[in-house]
Amino acid sequence: MGPIIPINEISQELNFLIAFVIGIGFGFALEQAGFSSSRKLAGMFYGYDTTVLKVFFTAALVGLIGLGLLNHFEMIDMSIVYINEYYMNSAIIGGVIMGIGFIVGGFCPGTSVCAAAIGKIDAMAYLGGSLIGIFIFGETYPLWKDLYIKNYLGDIKLSTALGLSDGLMVFLVIIAAVVMFWVGEWAEKKFNRPDITKEI
Amino acid sequence: MENHNYITHKTKYMNPYIAGLILGFVLLGAFYLTGRGLGASGAMKSVVVTSVETVSHEKAENSAFYSKYIADGKNPMSSWLVFQVLGVLVGGFLSGALSGRLKLTNEHSPNITSHKRIVMAVLGGMLFGFGSQLGRGCTSGAALSGMATLSLAGFVTMVAIFGTAFLFAYFFRKNWI
């Protein structure tokens, strides 16, 4: 019965070793996908390379369907699985700021670690920048505190918010993802830039 | 041989759907083992909190933000996410080594200077770092892991990140194409 670590007594050393091994898989998958290249990541927003969309939604679907199956066969106790807390204002405004950061910097935190590991100097600069950004947030936290905790809606699910069953919601997300894969493949043909894809 | 992949014997990146499947199983493994998904910005926050605490313990203790992570003698570096991100560093390096992609280089569009790319990377990192704190997680912790549990926060954060990047893409096109 999962989740294994919260249910069983497990030493901190073993816990951290597991974290390290999962991290290796995470970094390996990101790098193999091409997420260690800022121009490949940015290609998503100009249509010439939609790898981000394909990898991101394939992974989300595996997680979504996998968790659904584990739950169905009673192999995981979903009451212990963490569901992100929804603070409406900070989630939207934080997301918008991250979106601008993405198109300006070309990475997100995870991909920058992976790109820095193979020697991308722009990723190392981005990584340094993100530490400064977190420090600025920490230093100015009293200014944002009200915004940070405003409109708390709890650990609500999308399916609950829409009044649908989890199963139907998963099905709709699968349909949406397949449509997006199709749009991605179409965009790559339409906005193809051989000069860029050759370089990266 | 440059760009030779010793696994697939091809010179290119892995097929994105296959890479997505692998990433998805890593994500699922994280949920099955720990009850939480993947994350990155949390580890960076640990680095910042530890740095502030090293410079001035008193300041960190009196701050409404930093004090949360050092309460009761907690060490922010002794966390699951820190070890996971160290793993990302190793996993990324192994993948790059196997595929012949280890190279000290600054990747940028031919339309901008190397210097400008670095400035933009730092600025983008600052924005993302700040936003990840306000939004309680980044692309991996909030958007990807959040979506896998059907959490509304995950979907909202995903739409906000990618939607905004699409909206602003036109203004930054010179940096990329």
Side-chain angles (χ1 to χ4, degrees):
Chain A
M1 183 80 171
I4 304 287
I5 294 172
I7 287 179
N8 302 286
E9 288 275 321
I10 191 165
S11 73
Q12 199 176 47
E13 288 80 9
L14 182 59
N15 194 358
F16 288 161
L17 181 67
I18 292 169
F20 186 65
V21 173
I22 286 181
I24 291 177
F26 187 19
F28 192 89
L30 289 179
E31 208 289 322
Q32 279 298 315
F35 282 20
S36 54
S37 159
S38 53
R39 288 188 83 196
K40 200 169 167 65
L41 290 167
M44 167 78 204
F45 305 107
Y46 303 99
Y48 63 78
D49 189 324
T50 58
T51 300
V52 171
L53 181 144
K54 296 176 200 167
V55 175
F56 187 88
F57 282 98
T58 307
L61 286 188
V62 171
L64 198 58
I65 298 168
L67 277 178
L69 289 175
L70 286 173
N71 183 38
H72 179 76
F73 294 112
E74 295 180 1
M75 288 167 71
I76 195 164
D77 182 354
M78 288 303 282
S79 68
I80 306 178
V81 171
Y82 175 77
I83 294 174
N84 302 52
E85 308 266 17
Y86 186 41
Y87 293 81
M88 196 165 78
N89 299 46
S90 62
I92 294 172
I93 298 169
V96 166
I97 296 172
M98 284 188 264
I100 301 171
F102 206 155
I103 200 68
V104 171
F107 289 109
C108 58
T111 56
S112 73
V113 172
C114 169
I118 66 159
K120 293 287 170 71
I121 298 163
D122 51 337
M124 298 173 198
Y126 179 98
L127 208 50
S130 60
L131 295 177
I132 298 171
I134 295 171
F135 178 68
I136 293 173
F137 183 83
E139 291 300 304
T140 56
Y141 179 67
L143 294 174
W144 321 111
K145 200 183 168 228
D146 288 342
L147 174 67
Y148 188 66
I149 54 173
K150 211 173 171 186
N151 284 341
Y152 175 57
L153 301 178
D155 53 354
I156 186 172
K157 285 186 182 181
L158 176 64
S159 41
T160 316
L162 296 176
L164 302 171
S165 73
D166 285 0
L168 179 60
M169 196 67 243
V170 171
F171 179 71
L172 292 177
V173 175
I174 294 172
I175 301 281
V178 171
V179 170
M180 279 188 289
F181 293 149
W182 186 82
V183 171
E185 298 291 350
W186 168 82
E188 278 182 12
K189 284 189 195 88
K190 184 167 165 66
F191 302 105
N192 185 24
R193 286 180 170 267
D195 52 323
I196 290 178
T197 37
K198 205 161 45 187
E199 284 166 43
I200 54 182
Chain B
M1 205 189 309
E2 193 155 335
N3 275 347
H4 182 83
N5 188 322
Y6 295 95
I7 299 173
T8 59
H9 298 287
K10 281 182 190 159
T11 54
K12 287 189 175 168
Y13 293 110
M14 193 181 271
N15 175 300
Y17 298 109
I18 296 175
L21 277 178
I22 297 175
L23 181 59
F25 280 107
V26 173
L27 176 67
L28 195 56
F31 271 113
Y32 184 68
L33 288 166
T34 71
R36 299 183 76 117
L38 301 165
S41 54
M44 291 171 193
K45 176 168 64 193
S46 291
V47 172
V48 172
V49 174
T50 305
S51 308
V52 171
E53 201 201 4
T54 308
V55 174
S56 169
H57 180 71
E58 202 178 327
K59 177 187 159 66
E61 246 183 357
N62 292 329
S63 149
F65 181 69
Y66 305 122
S67 60
K68 283 186 279 184
Y69 307 103
I70 55 167
D72 310 319
K74 258 192 295 188
N75 177 2
M77 293 308 278
S78 185
S79 89
W80 208 87
L81 278 179
V82 169
F83 284 85
Q84 189 233 274
V85 165
L86 289 174
V88 172
L89 210 53
V90 174
F93 180 84
L94 285 177
S95 164
L98 282 168
S99 303
R101 283 193 286 267
L102 295 183
K103 197 179 168 197
L104 206 58
T105 171
N106 179 23
E107 193 180 334
H108 62 87
S109 156
N111 298 319
I112 60 165
T113 61
S114 194
H115 176 77
K116 187 178 177 194
R117 170 68 191 126
I118 295 295
V119 173
M120 296 304 270
V122 172
L123 280 176
M126 285 171 67
L127 285 164
F128 216 117
F130 185 95
S132 70
Q133 294 314 303
L134 191 60
R136 293 178 175 78
C138 61
T139 332
S140 45
L144 180 63
S145 306
M147 280 173 68
T149 57
L150 276 181
S151 86
L152 181 57
F155 282 91
V156 168
T157 309
M158 186 270 295
V159 171
I161 295 175
F162 288 106
T164 308
F166 268 114
L167 284 179
F168 283 84
Y170 178 80
F171 306 103
F172 294 99
R173 63 193 183 285
K174 255 198 165 169
N175 289 330
W176 304 112
I177 52 178

